[in-house]
Amino acid sequence: MTRSRQLRFGDYELQPDTGELRRVDGAPTGPTAEAGAVVRLAPQPAKLLAMLLERRGALLERDEIRRALWPETHVDFDQSLAFCMRQLRAALEDSAAAPRYIETLPRRGFRLLVAVTELEGQSGPGSTERPSGANRPSRRSRAIVGLAAAALLAAGGLTAHRLLAPASRPVRLAIMPFELAAVDAGDGSRLARISEWLVVELAREPSRLEVIGPRTTAAYHGTPFPDLSGLGRDLEIDYAINCRYLGEGGEPTLLVELIRLDDGAHPWVDGFGAARPWLEVAETVRAGVEDALLPSR
């Protein structure tokens, strides 16, 4: 059988060429993983973890992470890195406030807190140790992982993105305060009804979707656009529903958009005339968001 390189640290082993993370036999059972259970990390969290393990306790700088994970893309690096690190910490059952595995050095980078042992053997039990100066994963194995991720994204961006979210936690959705139409001061109460109604309706399945309402997100509302970077970082938000008016002069259009915070993509967008009944708008928004985030309903 083909033998594969593995890195053991703490209660876990990582197989870099496949992104498989396994809690080693004999390790204490965690709240989200049994001993011996395998978690297949998404490409970016797997690569970030491999980089930390290869560094063996030395500082891994933010700029090095950016060059390795997002070399030619125009994403919000802070949001993307924060989302990637949340996935990794969730898989390791680690905490940023009291880290056991990964320490954050503000504005500098990250550092591994445990020793690393390099193994070589078949995936799972029965691995044998080898000296720690082994070769890094081959270009071919890294290319295969990259091509697989690209194929997933090409087949369906939202579906591929959803694979990044750890199965151990629900999607976190923030509803921003709906903006008041400058041409119609009386519309504010209508928009408030829509946003509060969405909180109630979308929070019916907290095990799958956690909803943060406009009273909390108001601090990030900003003008003309909300502070989505701060929202995602401080509240660990995956998606946000934002509302704004378009057009000048005639009848304005109410634009409602679902925004994915790690890359700024819009999985769902719709526009509504100012005369549309508020409940009809709210129902349309709810259905669109649930179709995008909870497709198996």
Side-chain angles (χ1 to χ4, degrees):
M1 295 180 64
T2 302
R3 300 176 73 82
S4 56
R5 177 171 176 262
Q6 298 177 11
L7 299 172
R8 177 175 292 179
F9 61 104
D11 295 334
Y12 296 92
E13 289 179 2
L14 174 71
Q15 191 168 325
D17 58 347
T18 63
E20 289 179 332
L21 180 70
R22 185 176 72 87
R23 184 182 287 269
V24 300
D25 293 333
T29 300
T32 62
E34 299 289 337
V38 174
V39 176
R40 187 179 296 275
L41 295 173
Q44 288 176 325
K47 189 168 185 178
L48 178 55
L49 178 57
M51 292 173 69
L52 285 163
L53 297 179
E54 296 285 2
R55 197 54 57 91
R56 286 173 168 74
L59 173 66
L60 178 61
E61 295 184 352
R62 290 168 55 88
D63 191 56
E64 184 176 350
I65 298 172
R66 181 189 58 78
R67 293 195 305 268
L69 271 63
W70 296 280
E72 298 178 356
T73 56
H74 301 284
V75 301
D76 186 310
F77 172 65
D78 289 334
Q79 289 186 30
S80 300
L81 179 57
F83 185 77
C84 185
M85 183 56 69
R86 287 202 304 272
Q87 297 171 64
L88 189 50
R89 290 194 191 279
L92 296 174
E93 297 172 1
D94 200 20
S95 167
R100 179 185 174 192
Y101 290 103
I102 302 172
E103 178 187 15
T104 300
L105 284 74
R107 296 184 297 278
R108 297 183 62 193
F110 303 91
R111 180 167 55 201
L112 190 71
L113 297 177
V114 296
V116 179
T117 302
E118 192 155 341
L119 310 171
E120 186 176 15
Q122 298 172 7
S123 181
S127 299
T128 57
E129 295 190 11
R130 63 174 295 179
S132 61
N135 295 331
R136 295 174 181 269
S138 67
R139 289 186 178 181
R140 182 175 181 273
S141 64
R142 294 197 300 267
I144 290 173
V145 173
L147 288 173
L152 283 171
L153 291 170
L158 181 57
T159 301
H161 171 83
R162 194 172 292 110
L163 295 177
L164 299 178
S168 59
R169 73 167 180 85
V171 174
R172 288 177 62 80
L173 171 70
I175 300 177
M176 304 303 297
F178 279 23
E179 292 183 356
L180 180 67
V183 297
D184 183 5
D187 202 39
S189 60
R190 167 179 177 257
L191 295 183
R193 287 197 298 270
I194 294 175
S195 58
E196 295 296 342
W197 186 91
L198 287 172
V199 172
V200 174
E201 293 300 312
L202 290 173
R204 293 185 182 277
E205 294 189 57
S207 64
R208 303 178 67 194
L209 188 65
E210 292 182 344
V211 179
I212 293 83
R215 296 188 182 184
T216 299
T217 63
Y220 302 87
H221 191 215
T223 302
F225 298 106
D227 177 16
L228 297 183
S229 177
L231 179 71
R233 179 184 63 250
D234 298 343
L235 302 181
E236 297 190 344
I237 301 300
D238 301 314
Y239 295 84
I241 299 176
N242 189 47
C243 169
R244 53 195 173 95
Y245 275 99
L246 298 179
E248 298 180 357
E251 180 179 335
T253 297
L254 179 67
L255 181 71
V256 183
E257 50 195 358
L258 176 65
I259 305 171
R260 194 166 63 218
L261 298 196
D262 71 327
D263 61 3
H266 290 62
W268 179 88
V269 179
D270 205 346
F272 306 91
R276 289 280 290 274
W278 76 266
L279 186 56
E280 182 180 327
V281 173
E283 283 281 8
T284 303
V285 174
R286 178 198 59 77
V289 170
E290 286 185 343
D291 285 345
L293 301 184
L294 306 174
S296 60
R297 279 176 62 90

